[in-house]
Amino acid sequence: MTVSTQKETFGFQAEIKQLLDLMIHSLYSNKEIFLRELISNASDAADKLRFEALSDDALFEDSPELKIFIDVNKDARTITIRDNGIGMDREEVMENIGTIAKSGTRQFFKNLTGDQAKDSQLIGQFGVGFYSCFIIADKVTLCTRKAGMGAEHGVCWESGGDGQYSLENVERSQRGTEITLHLKEEEDELLEDWKVQSIVKKYSDHIMIPVTMNKSVTDEESKETTIEEETVNSTQALWTRSKGDIKDEEYNEFYKHIAHDFEDPMLHMHNRVEGNLEYTSLLFIPQRAPFDLWDRQNIHGIKLYVRRVFIMDDAEHLLPPYLRFMRGVIDSADLPLNVSREILQNNKQIEKIRNGAVKKVLGSLESLLKNEPEKYATFWEQFGKVLKEGILDDTSNRERIAKLLRFSTTHDEVEASAIGLTDYVERMKEGQDKIFYITAESFAAAKNSPHLEIFRKKGIEVILLHEQIDEWLVTHLTEFDGKQLQSITKGDLDLGDLEDEEEKKQAEKVSEELKPFAERLKTALEAQVQDVKITHRLTSSPACLVADQNAMDASLERMLQASGQSLPASKPVLEINPEHALIKHIQGESDEGQFNEWANILFEQSQLSEGGQLDDPAAFVARVNNMFLKAA
Ligand code: ADP
Ligand code: MG
């Protein structure tokens, strides 16, 4: 078969040009990383081939020994990186090189400000591996042929990084990918063998297949020069070495390879388990949350190895979804090499490994919290929302996860959550037997809720929950350290021993006196409320709404309604503050029509003050304006 060699030209996806400019600017001072990225990709390609060859040995063709070869050509001013990994077919080249299909791409570009100094911090999160070669090259040629396909399926891609690329079908007997970088004028230093070698040693020593380079050897006697291929990296799996011998930089470079990240990790945990079940885990927490962190389906952080042979990515069975921010490898000594996804699903060993790994991660987070609270705060800011899912997902570790949660409370009144339940419990008042919380749509709404008035007056701390997941959190976390979690917007307020007898008696007396007034209000608001009670929750607001102890939280209800779910109407209780001047004023209102107006205003302003929306805002405005005019 003859191959059509006609060259076709295509435009890059619009964003790529922008990305390239940003990358060249922001990564120039660290330009050596282009080699790390290309070797990382070549190593991934070898892993993929090995994995697919498990079920189809023929893919190895006639070269089962996987390796990466780097050739430096001073005359042509090029560096070539060649692998004999999986390779790509034409479509894959178009998809992988020239398009960015990563989830979160659009979000990334939305976040760009145009201020390069600011934007360059974002680039690390994005992971732009291949394109980094345009930092040092003004032309890049990539020729590749997919494993298992005939030589006529080769394809060459070429671009000057200027917004377009060309594609050409070629004959290619060799499997895998070869990338030739035509260096920019000022990059001559990269044409020195020793320089390239030192870059490989520095960033890619942990790569497990050999990275080789040519070396000229001159025979002492004959003075004849021959070329020998020399392996530059150590080819040893990093995690098999003992912890004490591994430098932080080595862990960091290894992390960047497996996580496709440009930044160092926040933390690593390296752990060997021996005995009945043998495995090693080397896990990392990234510095920053990736763009697709919210996608519970997109779990790809942990690579599974069996006796140092890469088995698969996306091993979602190795850590639960609430730890999906973790990156790393788990190497099992016991699983069979031909383990498949199906086998993993119900495998007892995998289950044990996962349980062990989860315990290890929680343990590391506990020590981080204890020993480096500031670092933990950064961790929490990045990944706290995801960790919260653990309360819902992982009942067996609920208590441990609960201790790791951080909240805003009335103690510090700051939005950045920094207070743990243990701190809260330590500060509980004499006689306090519950952990009080309020949920609201925003921090401001929570912090300013009238429900907090009595708690502030008595100096009782209340947890201010304001993230969407909190609504679910409290339905699962009902108790901590033997203390019940209690919403302050639900049910009768029972402060137990926190109220003194004198206050209680006084409150009962007032309640009794105002009963007829409460009844009158209840009749006026029959359609909106299930009851009207005299409250002692409030000190400065005239009224507030309280849900049934077992009812859904008002903010959860609004959330579900917003998502289009129809809910059975649950009527709240209106609680009124007998000390408030407005309440005193309304009591004296003899005109029934006027009284009705007041009742509605009370109800509607109570809805508003907890962040709710009015059914008929215009009617509320009209009512209030009428009252103003009467007073004027
Ligand atoms: P990432 O490695 O994070 O996916 P890159 O920009 O480094 O992003 O690479 C993009 C994609 O191009 C890779 O995911 C892979 O599918 C493909 N690719 C790059 N280099 C190679 C290679 N040497 N062999 C096979 N595929 C490659
Ligand atoms: Mg890459």
Side-chain angles (χ1 to χ4, degrees), residues 322 387-395 397-399 401-402 405 472-473 476-477:
Y322 75 93
L387 194 68
K388 279 180 180 175
E389 292 172 16
I391 294 288
L392 286 63
D393 290 353
D394 189 353
T395 43
N397 289 304
R398 189 171 285 165
E399 188 78 14
I401 299 168
L405 304 179
W472 307 108
L473 186 82
H476 290 78
L477 185 70

mmCIF file of all heavy atoms in Angstrom, residues 322 387-395 397-399 401-402 405 472-473 476-477:
data_model
loop_
_atom_site.group_PDB
_atom_site.id
_atom_site.type_symbol
_atom_site.label_atom_id
_atom_site.label_comp_id
_atom_site.label_asym_id
_atom_site.label_seq_id
_atom_site.Cartn_x
_atom_site.Cartn_y
_atom_site.Cartn_z
ATOM 1 N N TYR A 322 -13.536 10.454 48.166
ATOM 2 C CA TYR A 322 -13.285 11.656 48.966
ATOM 3 C C TYR A 322 -11.791 11.925 49.155
ATOM 4 O O TYR A 322 -11.405 12.954 49.708
ATOM 5 C CB TYR A 322 -14.019 11.600 50.307
ATOM 6 C CG TYR A 322 -13.431 10.691 51.363
ATOM 7 C CD1 TYR A 322 -12.535 11.177 52.310
ATOM 8 C CD2 TYR A 322 -13.781 9.349 51.434
ATOM 9 C CE1 TYR A 322 -12.003 10.354 53.286
ATOM 10 C CE2 TYR A 322 -13.258 8.512 52.404
ATOM 11 C CZ TYR A 322 -12.369 9.026 53.329
ATOM 12 O OH TYR A 322 -11.845 8.207 54.297
ATOM 13 N N LEU A 387 -12.746 16.560 51.313
ATOM 14 C CA LEU A 387 -12.596 15.714 52.499
ATOM 15 C C LEU A 387 -13.923 15.594 53.259
ATOM 16 O O LEU A 387 -14.228 14.550 53.821
ATOM 17 C CB LEU A 387 -11.504 16.269 53.418
ATOM 18 C CG LEU A 387 -11.033 15.301 54.509
ATOM 19 C CD1 LEU A 387 -10.281 14.133 53.888
ATOM 20 C CD2 LEU A 387 -10.150 15.998 55.530
ATOM 21 N N LYS A 388 -14.711 16.665 53.244
ATOM 22 C CA LYS A 388 -16.017 16.617 53.908
ATOM 23 C C LYS A 388 -16.890 15.478 53.387
ATOM 24 O O LYS A 388 -17.704 14.922 54.106
ATOM 25 C CB LYS A 388 -16.764 17.943 53.722
ATOM 26 C CG LYS A 388 -16.345 19.038 54.683
ATOM 27 C CD LYS A 388 -17.152 20.300 54.422
ATOM 28 C CE LYS A 388 -16.741 21.401 55.381
ATOM 29 N NZ LYS A 388 -17.433 22.677 55.047
ATOM 30 N N GLU A 389 -16.730 15.150 52.101
ATOM 31 C CA GLU A 389 -17.517 14.052 51.541
ATOM 32 C C GLU A 389 -17.254 12.748 52.289
ATOM 33 O O GLU A 389 -18.083 11.843 52.296
ATOM 34 C CB GLU A 389 -17.186 13.847 50.050
ATOM 35 C CG GLU A 389 -17.636 14.984 49.166
ATOM 36 C CD GLU A 389 -17.122 14.826 47.731
ATOM 37 O OE1 GLU A 389 -16.688 13.709 47.359
ATOM 38 O OE2 GLU A 389 -17.146 15.821 46.986
ATOM 39 N N GLY A 390 -16.094 12.666 52.924
ATOM 40 C CA GLY A 390 -15.740 11.464 53.674
ATOM 41 C C GLY A 390 -16.715 11.173 54.811
ATOM 42 O O GLY A 390 -16.950 10.019 55.160
ATOM 43 N N ILE A 391 -17.285 12.229 55.366
ATOM 44 C CA ILE A 391 -18.264 12.039 56.439
ATOM 45 C C ILE A 391 -19.472 11.269 55.910
ATOM 46 O O ILE A 391 -20.059 10.443 56.584
ATOM 47 C CB ILE A 391 -18.715 13.421 56.995
ATOM 48 C CG1 ILE A 391 -17.540 14.131 57.681
ATOM 49 C CG2 ILE A 391 -19.907 13.291 57.920
ATOM 50 C CD1 ILE A 391 -17.118 13.533 59.003
ATOM 51 N N LEU A 392 -19.828 11.537 54.641
ATOM 52 C CA LEU A 392 -20.966 10.859 54.038
ATOM 53 C C LEU A 392 -20.571 9.463 53.560
ATOM 54 O O LEU A 392 -21.323 8.503 53.705
ATOM 55 C CB LEU A 392 -21.488 11.656 52.829
ATOM 56 C CG LEU A 392 -22.275 12.942 53.071
ATOM 57 C CD1 LEU A 392 -21.438 14.003 53.768
ATOM 58 C CD2 LEU A 392 -22.791 13.503 51.757
ATOM 59 N N ASP A 393 -19.352 9.373 52.984
ATOM 60 C CA ASP A 393 -18.953 8.147 52.287
ATOM 61 C C ASP A 393 -18.369 7.067 53.180
ATOM 62 O O ASP A 393 -18.545 5.888 52.942
ATOM 63 C CB ASP A 393 -17.841 8.465 51.257
ATOM 64 C CG ASP A 393 -18.364 9.266 50.090
ATOM 65 O OD1 ASP A 393 -19.586 9.443 50.015
ATOM 66 O OD2 ASP A 393 -17.552 9.714 49.255
ATOM 67 N N ASP A 394 -17.594 7.477 54.157
ATOM 68 C CA ASP A 394 -16.756 6.514 54.865
ATOM 69 C C ASP A 394 -17.162 6.421 56.328
ATOM 70 O O ASP A 394 -16.561 7.016 57.204
ATOM 71 C CB ASP A 394 -15.286 6.958 54.747
ATOM 72 C CG ASP A 394 -14.326 5.904 55.265
ATOM 73 O OD1 ASP A 394 -14.788 4.892 55.834
ATOM 74 O OD2 ASP A 394 -13.113 6.100 55.115
ATOM 75 N N THR A 395 -18.210 5.638 56.575
ATOM 76 C CA THR A 395 -18.736 5.555 57.938
ATOM 77 C C THR A 395 -17.706 4.967 58.903
ATOM 78 O O THR A 395 -17.666 5.353 60.061
ATOM 79 C CB THR A 395 -20.003 4.685 57.988
ATOM 80 O OG1 THR A 395 -19.769 3.533 57.184
ATOM 81 C CG2 THR A 395 -21.196 5.431 57.454
ATOM 82 N N ASN A 397 -14.598 5.461 59.125
ATOM 83 C CA ASN A 397 -13.600 6.438 59.585
ATOM 84 C C ASN A 397 -14.224 7.778 59.966
ATOM 85 O O ASN A 397 -13.528 8.788 60.054
ATOM 86 C CB ASN A 397 -12.543 6.661 58.500
ATOM 87 C CG ASN A 397 -11.636 5.458 58.341
ATOM 88 O OD1 ASN A 397 -11.007 5.013 59.294
ATOM 89 N ND2 ASN A 397 -11.586 4.902 57.144
ATOM 90 N N ARG A 398 -15.539 7.777 60.166
ATOM 91 C CA ARG A 398 -16.235 9.056 60.355
ATOM 92 C C ARG A 398 -15.654 9.895 61.492
ATOM 93 O O ARG A 398 -15.425 11.097 61.347
ATOM 94 C CB ARG A 398 -17.730 8.805 60.578
ATOM 95 C CG ARG A 398 -18.548 10.067 60.565
ATOM 96 C CD ARG A 398 -20.019 9.781 60.558
ATOM 97 N NE ARG A 398 -20.479 9.333 59.246
ATOM 98 C CZ ARG A 398 -21.653 8.758 59.043
ATOM 99 N NH1 ARG A 398 -22.477 8.538 60.039
ATOM 100 N NH2 ARG A 398 -22.011 8.402 57.829
ATOM 101 N N GLU A 399 -15.417 9.254 62.622
ATOM 102 C CA GLU A 399 -14.921 9.988 63.795
ATOM 103 C C GLU A 399 -13.552 10.639 63.500
ATOM 104 O O GLU A 399 -13.315 11.796 63.844
ATOM 105 C CB GLU A 399 -14.823 9.008 64.969
ATOM 106 C CG GLU A 399 -14.507 9.649 66.310
ATOM 107 C CD GLU A 399 -15.717 10.317 66.967
ATOM 108 O OE1 GLU A 399 -16.863 10.071 66.531
ATOM 109 O OE2 GLU A 399 -15.504 11.105 67.918
ATOM 110 N N ILE A 401 -12.328 11.432 60.522
ATOM 111 C CA ILE A 401 -12.493 12.507 59.534
ATOM 112 C C ILE A 401 -13.098 13.737 60.221
ATOM 113 O O ILE A 401 -12.689 14.868 59.977
ATOM 114 C CB ILE A 401 -13.364 12.042 58.353
ATOM 115 C CG1 ILE A 401 -12.701 10.855 57.654
ATOM 116 C CG2 ILE A 401 -13.584 13.172 57.360
ATOM 117 C CD1 ILE A 401 -13.599 10.136 56.662
ATOM 118 N N ALA A 402 -14.060 13.481 61.113
ATOM 119 C CA ALA A 402 -14.729 14.597 61.800
ATOM 120 C C ALA A 402 -13.707 15.461 62.534
ATOM 121 O O ALA A 402 -13.817 16.688 62.576
ATOM 122 C CB ALA A 402 -15.778 14.064 62.771
ATOM 123 N N LEU A 405 -12.043 18.036 60.227
ATOM 124 C CA LEU A 405 -12.831 19.110 59.607
ATOM 125 C C LEU A 405 -12.519 20.456 60.266
ATOM 126 O O LEU A 405 -12.245 20.523 61.462
ATOM 127 C CB LEU A 405 -14.329 18.811 59.755
ATOM 128 C CG LEU A 405 -14.835 17.475 59.201
ATOM 129 C CD1 LEU A 405 -16.330 17.337 59.466
ATOM 130 C CD2 LEU A 405 -14.546 17.348 57.718
ATOM 131 N N TRP A 472 -25.565 18.415 53.747
ATOM 132 C CA TRP A 472 -25.531 16.943 53.776
ATOM 133 C C TRP A 472 -24.674 16.469 54.925
ATOM 134 O O TRP A 472 -24.953 15.448 55.538
ATOM 135 C CB TRP A 472 -24.985 16.402 52.452
ATOM 136 C CG TRP A 472 -25.727 16.940 51.272
ATOM 137 C CD1 TRP A 472 -25.279 17.848 50.366
ATOM 138 C CD2 TRP A 472 -27.080 16.628 50.887
ATOM 139 N NE1 TRP A 472 -26.251 18.115 49.442
ATOM 140 C CE2 TRP A 472 -27.359 17.381 49.736
ATOM 141 C CE3 TRP A 472 -28.064 15.786 51.420
ATOM 142 C CZ2 TRP A 472 -28.590 17.321 49.088
ATOM 143 C CZ3 TRP A 472 -29.280 15.726 50.775
ATOM 144 C CH2 TRP A 472 -29.542 16.486 49.632
ATOM 145 N N LEU A 473 -23.639 17.220 55.173
ATOM 146 C CA LEU A 473 -22.712 16.858 56.246
ATOM 147 C C LEU A 473 -23.464 16.647 57.556
ATOM 148 O O LEU A 473 -23.310 15.634 58.227
ATOM 149 C CB LEU A 473 -21.679 17.983 56.406
ATOM 150 C CG LEU A 473 -20.546 17.710 57.372
ATOM 151 C CD1 LEU A 473 -19.481 16.882 56.669
ATOM 152 C CD2 LEU A 473 -19.933 19.009 57.858
ATOM 153 N N HIS A 476 -25.436 13.563 58.226
ATOM 154 C CA HIS A 476 -24.668 12.347 58.527
ATOM 155 C C HIS A 476 -23.846 12.459 59.798
ATOM 156 O O HIS A 476 -23.598 11.479 60.473
ATOM 157 C CB HIS A 476 -23.740 12.001 57.357
ATOM 158 C CG HIS A 476 -24.476 11.520 56.152
ATOM 159 N ND1 HIS A 476 -25.119 12.371 55.297
ATOM 160 C CD2 HIS A 476 -24.696 10.267 55.697
ATOM 161 C CE1 HIS A 476 -25.703 11.654 54.341
ATOM 162 N NE2 HIS A 476 -25.457 10.386 54.566
ATOM 163 N N LEU A 477 -23.406 13.656 60.088
ATOM 164 C CA LEU A 477 -22.606 13.847 61.298
ATOM 165 C C LEU A 477 -23.531 14.382 62.379
ATOM 166 O O LEU A 477 -23.674 15.580 62.554
ATOM 167 C CB LEU A 477 -21.477 14.850 61.024
ATOM 168 C CG LEU A 477 -20.483 15.051 62.163
ATOM 169 C CD1 LEU A 477 -19.626 13.823 62.362
ATOM 170 C CD2 LEU A 477 -19.591 16.253 61.883
#
